[in-house]
Amino acid sequence: MTAPLTNPGGADARDADDQLVADVFARGCGSRRTLENIAGKWGILALSALHEGAYRFNALRRRVDGVSEKMLSQTLQALERDGLVRRDVQTTIPPHVEYSLTPLGARVAERLIDLIELVESELGTVLAAQSEYDRAAADRNRRK
Amino acid sequence: MTAPLTNPGGADARDADDQLVADVFARGCGSRRTLENIAGKWGILALSALHEGAYRFNALRRRVDGVSEKMLSQTLQALERDGLVRRDVQTTIPPHVEYSLTPLGARVAERLIDLIELVESELGTVLAAQSEYDRAAADRNRRK
């Protein structure tokens, strides 16, 4: 990300020149789409939950409070395609499907957990900023 | 995030008991909405760009390739409300508006940059996983 203009062709340009640098700031770069899969609301929560250990689908859905079956399914599929999540079909009767992190998924999840822990620990600061912002906005409206 | 069930009431419950722990896994928790503002596609890119230094709106829009004026404006407003971004109106002629990170915004941005650098550096692994996934899916379709 320190070389914004070196990869104007994005992921497609990699074939032509492997020296090109991935750059999430470039709209065509494949790294941006992966970042979106990871950092979408449900991507973050699914990866962080799976860092606690493998989950079956329904247990993961309970852990990630509020996610619909469809959204969790789409999220896991995108993360599996990106090589961050493994999907294992176990040959039990009835068979069941378990999701876990790949080594790269675990490295990504560690960074997400750092971020989550910071946001959780600073929630007081955030809530105070929100109150102040809303108060100032209300003042401005009153003066209009 | 290690205490999934301690904060069922989310942010609203903080008034009743400040010992409650912020938990992004709980759908009502205020930390989850902040995480969404940070980690939405444009939130990540705007915060990471601002970590390079202050930007005026149009320069930031050029840096975050592909963002619309409306989306960038909404993103910055949400981040300002959360206390992560400062908006300074400079009394030049014509006046102009500059955006920069607050101290908390800088700490958040550092973690986002860690994540971005990992994703960029592992883009080859991700692209290989995608090819393998798509090849396996095509095989399954062919056998149907």
Side-chain angles (χ1 to χ4, degrees):
Chain A
M1 56 174 287
T2 48
L5 295 174
T6 50
N7 191 16
D12 295 339
R14 287 177 64 90
D15 297 333
D17 183 352
D18 261 347
Q19 300 306 304
L20 290 176
V21 177
D23 175 23
V24 289
F25 284 105
R27 77 178 90 183
C29 187
S31 62
R32 188 188 276 191
R33 205 165 52 182
T34 297
L35 192 67
E36 288 167 26
N37 293 339
I38 293 169
K41 170 178 178 173
W42 303 122
I44 289 193
L45 295 176
L47 288 166
S48 307
L50 289 172
H51 196 258
E52 299 163 358
Y55 271 94
R56 288 168 67 176
F57 186 88
N58 285 325
L60 185 58
R61 196 177 155 204
R62 284 190 295 274
R63 180 72 179 108
V64 181
D65 185 25
V67 70
S68 70
E69 195 171 317
K70 186 181 168 193
M71 280 309 302
L72 183 57
S73 167
Q74 284 177 0
T75 299
L76 289 170
Q77 204 170 354
L79 295 173
E80 186 192 352
R81 182 169 181 270
D82 287 344
L84 302 174
V85 163
R86 270 173 64 98
R87 179 178 181 278
D88 289 304
V89 182
Q90 301 179 333
T91 55
T92 47
I93 298 172
H96 66 243
V97 179
E98 199 173 76
Y99 294 89
S100 58
L101 296 181
T102 64
L104 180 56
R107 292 171 65 201
V108 167
E110 281 159 24
R111 281 151 182 85
L112 294 174
I113 289 168
D114 278 352
L115 177 67
I116 286 173
E117 289 182 346
L118 175 62
V119 171
E120 287 178 343
S121 69
E122 294 291 340
L123 183 58
T125 310
V126 169
L127 294 176
Q130 289 175 350
S131 300
E132 169 61 22
Y133 182 95
D134 294 345
R135 196 195 50 70
D139 277 0
R140 277 194 302 275
N141 281 334
R142 209 172 301 120
R143 278 199 300 268
K144 268 180 193 167
Chain B
M1 58 175 287
T2 47
L5 295 173
T6 50
N7 191 15
D12 295 339
R14 286 176 65 90
D15 296 333
D17 183 352
D18 262 346
Q19 298 309 303
L20 289 176
V21 177
D23 175 23
V24 290
F25 285 106
R27 78 179 91 183
C29 185
S31 62
R32 188 189 274 192
R33 206 166 52 180
T34 298
L35 192 67
E36 287 166 27
N37 292 340
I38 292 169
K41 171 178 178 173
W42 302 122
I44 288 194
L45 295 176
L47 288 165
S48 307
L50 289 172
H51 197 258
E52 299 163 359
Y55 271 94
R56 288 167 67 178
F57 186 86
N58 285 324
L60 184 59
R61 198 179 152 201
R62 283 190 296 275
R63 180 73 179 108
V64 181
D65 185 26
V67 70
S68 71
E69 196 171 316
K70 186 181 168 192
M71 280 310 301
L72 183 56
S73 167
Q74 284 178 0
T75 299
L76 289 171
Q77 205 170 353
L79 295 173
E80 187 192 352
R81 182 170 181 269
D82 286 344
L84 303 174
V85 163
R86 269 174 63 96
R87 180 178 181 277
D88 289 304
V89 182
Q90 302 180 330
T91 55
T92 49
I93 299 172
H96 66 242
V97 180
E98 200 174 76
Y99 295 89
S100 58
L101 297 180
T102 63
L104 179 56
R107 291 171 65 201
V108 168
E110 280 158 26
R111 281 153 180 84
L112 295 174
I113 289 168
D114 278 354
L115 177 66
I116 286 175
E117 289 182 346
L118 175 62
V119 171
E120 288 179 341
S121 70
E122 294 292 341
L123 182 58
T125 311
V126 169
L127 293 176
Q130 290 175 349
S131 300
E132 169 61 22
Y133 182 95
D134 294 345
R135 196 194 52 69
D139 276 1
R140 279 195 300 276
N141 281 334
R142 209 173 300 121
R143 278 199 298 270
K144 267 180 193 165

